[in-house]
Amino acid sequence: MVRGFSPAAAAAVFRRQNFLIRCLGGYRKEKNYSNNFHHHCVIRMHSAMSGGPSLEADAVSILRSITPTLDPTRHKGQAGKVAVIGGCREYTGAPYFSAISALKLGADVSHVFCTKDAATVIKSYSPELIVHPILEESYSIRNDEKGSISAKVIEEVDKWMERFDCLVIGPGLGRDPFLLDCVSNIMKRARESNVPMVIDGDGLFLVSNSPDLVRGYPLAVLTPNVNEYKRLVQKILNCEVNDEEGSKQLLALAKGIGGVTILRKGKSDFITDGEKVSAVSIYGSPRRCGGQGDILAGSVAVFLSWARQSAYRGELGTNPTILGCIAASAILRKAASLAFDQKKRSTLTSDIIECLGRSLEEICPVIS
Ligand SMILES: NC(=O)C1=CN([C@@H]2O[C@H](COP(=O)(O)OP(=O)(O)OC[C@H]3O[C@@H](n4cnc5c(N)ncnc54)[C@H](OP(=O)(O)O)[C@@H]3O)[C@@H](O)[C@H]2O)[C@@H](O)CC1
Ligand SMILES: Nc1ncnc2c1ncn2[C@@H]1O[C@H](COP(=O)(O)OP(=O)(O)OP(=O)(O)O)[C@@H](O)[C@H]1O
Ligand SMILES: [Mg+2]
């Protein structure tokens, strides 16, 4: 029996999950499980994370309820304006993956705020992105310039801040202390303007060391991978990750940072804002190429912006940040599965990005 549920409730959950996974089309390739869905489902619900129940989310219904129709009366910007804060000398792929994924899912405008070194490279990947070369790393400036550069960074971001529906902080940001200091200031400004923030990659390194940047901010979403989660648990809860108590620990972590939303990435994705834990377990791909988390972060930004629009219209009863995470996780996994079908071992992050549109179209067709 599924932990925490009566046999009847567990059977209903199982039937529902069966239906959802068929819609999302993602389980069929999983080794050893492909011919035995019942086994697949029950095992997953037992072993995904113990220490309290986590229910498979109804991702299909969520996607259908928050994805806007393509309506000729809408103007540019209404389907979402997102900005990625990331990209430095070392990493140019990560911010590109996040920003282009947002566009490929249907956002109208996608910006990248990065270092000067990274900007030309990112621009050359795509003419679709609006790239601002405003950040600086310590190696490229003198100590006596830091004050004026820091002020200039915030001045440039301030020009745009109120227009953004969501920021993605961290993909390919690096860990330069001066640069992270400037990004802390950007995060404080975003908070003052009530702009949602998806924090990923090196943004999570920053938040682990300075949790007050997001503490108690309900529009903050943290998307840790296994390393980033470990660091957060150590810093915030002062202990080690304990998967025996996985759900409880995740709830405690979200509460410990004042009710932010956490999407813990892994074999299943677990999502909470401190109230209950939802899971997205549909099968994606066995390829673990770098960059899939960056796609996810850009996708969360889009879906949470759409979920907030639906919430304004009074159509939702659930926290939009949770809905955005569930929708993004399901779409990324489905896209990864589609890409893997075609490319097998040579599947790359850019192949998955090319499947984002189809992945969403199969669930929310433009003309239904
Ligand atoms: N194509 C691209 O451009 C891509 C770029 N990417 C970008 O890479 C960045 C790091 O993300 P990741 O996922 O490698 O971090 P993660 O798994 O925590 O670390 C693995 C190990 O490495 C270490 N470590 C990491 N950074 C370090 C640093 N600056 N300096 C020193 N150590 C560092 C880390 O050590 P620890 O954190 O435990 O100290 C752990 O042991 C991030 O900006 C991401 O967006 C990815 O999105 C993929 C595609
Ligand atoms: N073992 C797994 N099986 C299936 N899906 C997984 C597995 N591990 C991660 N994923 C999925 O891949 C996506 C990216 O997670 P991952 O842990 O690779 O992030 P990341 O390390 O931050 O990636 P990036 O390389 O972009 O930084 C998430 O949606 C996650 O659910
Ligand atoms: Mg990552």
Side-chain angles (χ1 to χ4, degrees):
M1 193 183 79
V2 177
R3 186 193 284 258
F5 296 97
S6 69
V13 166
F14 162 68
R15 282 195 304 275
R16 183 72 188 144
Q17 194 180 40
N18 192 352
F19 167 73
L20 291 174
I21 291 176
R22 259 187 287 115
C23 284
L24 285 159
Y27 71 88
R28 63 192 181 283
K29 296 288 189 291
E30 189 160 15
K31 257 191 186 166
N32 306 327
Y33 293 154
S34 54
N35 297 324
N36 190 343
F37 180 68
H38 185 263
H39 174 76
H40 165 86
C41 219
V42 174
I43 292 287
R44 176 172 291 152
M45 295 186 74
H46 270 290
S47 66
M49 188 156 64
S50 39
S54 62
L55 262 188
E56 185 69 17
D58 183 349
V60 169
S61 299
I62 289 170
L63 277 157
R64 290 185 176 150
S65 66
I66 65 175
T67 301
T69 51
L70 293 182
D71 175 344
T73 63
R74 288 161 71 89
H75 60 75
K76 183 176 72 181
Q78 285 184 310
K81 300 183 286 297
V82 305
V84 178
I85 316 288
C88 63
R89 185 163 61 161
E90 265 173 304
Y91 308 119
T92 55
Y96 166 77
F97 293 144
S98 287
I100 201 76
S101 298
L103 284 181
K104 292 270 182 180
L105 282 172
D108 288 333
V109 188
S110 189
H111 293 241
V112 177
F113 291 83
C114 57
T115 66
K116 294 196 168 102
D117 287 341
T120 321
V121 181
I122 297 170
K123 282 174 200 269
S124 75
Y125 297 152
S126 165
E128 324 283 347
L129 304 176
I130 299 163
V131 184
H132 307 259
I134 60 161
L135 299 176
E136 297 276 7
E137 291 179 86
S138 303
Y139 76 85
S140 63
I141 52 168
R142 296 192 314 268
N143 270 343
D144 62 340
E145 292 176 313
K146 286 186 175 169
S148 61
I149 289 172
S150 180
K152 183 97 179 91
V153 166
I154 209 67
E155 189 187 315
E156 286 296 315
V157 177
D158 263 349
K159 286 185 199 162
W160 296 90
M161 185 64 85
E162 300 270 344
R163 304 180 205 178
F164 293 133
D165 297 301
C166 189
L167 302 185
V168 181
I169 312 260
L173 196 56
R175 296 188 182 177
D176 180 79
F178 172 69
L179 183 143
L180 291 184
D181 212 43
C182 291
V183 173
S184 302
N185 292 335
I186 295 174
M187 291 173 71
K188 287 175 194 158
R189 281 295 215 282
R191 240 185 123 149
E192 284 163 15
S193 304
N194 257 338
V195 176
M197 288 185 272
V198 178
I199 324 271
D200 186 47
D202 298 312
L204 289 167
F205 176 78
L206 174 61
V207 160
S208 295
N209 293 324
S210 310
D212 285 346
L213 288 169
V214 293
R215 195 185 298 283
Y217 187 47
L219 297 176
V221 176
L222 314 187
T223 55
N225 68 11
V226 63
N227 283 323
E228 292 151 355
Y229 187 73
K230 187 172 158 212
R231 214 181 295 127
L232 277 169
V233 167
Q234 287 168 340
K235 294 272 172 128
I236 307 289
L237 299 179
N238 239 330
C239 63
E240 294 302 319
V241 172
N242 175 5
D243 280 327
E244 296 293 303
E245 297 284 321
S247 277
K248 269 194 209 152
Q249 198 170 52
L250 181 58
L251 286 164
L253 184 62
K255 283 196 187 121
I257 323 178
V260 299
T261 295
I262 300 178
L263 189 171
R264 180 189 180 185
K265 296 179 287 194
K267 189 167 186 294
S268 294
D269 288 339
F270 292 101
I271 297 148
T272 189
D273 57 3
E275 293 295 317
K276 64 169 189 163
V277 179
S278 300
V280 178
S281 317
I282 58 152
Y283 190 63
S285 142
R287 278 282 282 138
R288 302 265 59 81
C289 52
Q292 294 180 66
D294 304 320
I295 302 180
L296 184 74
S299 308
V300 172
V302 175
F303 286 116
L304 101 67
S305 304
W306 290 350
R308 286 188 89 212
Q309 289 178 0
S310 307
Y312 286 139
R313 294 193 300 267
E315 291 166 11
L316 302 175
T318 309
N319 187 350
T321 57
I322 296 281
L323 299 179
C325 288
I326 291 169
S329 171
I331 284 299
L332 165 63
R333 282 165 173 258
K334 184 169 161 64
S337 164
L338 293 171
F340 187 75
D341 276 352
Q342 292 168 23
K343 299 286 177 90
K344 300 288 186 285
R345 283 180 201 275
S346 73
T347 306
L348 298 181
T349 295
S350 38
D351 299 316
I352 301 172
I353 289 171
E354 283 315 305
C355 293
L356 286 173
R358 193 176 137 205
S359 171
L360 184 56
E361 178 65 17
E362 286 182 5
I363 296 170
C364 304
V366 168
I367 300 164
S368 49

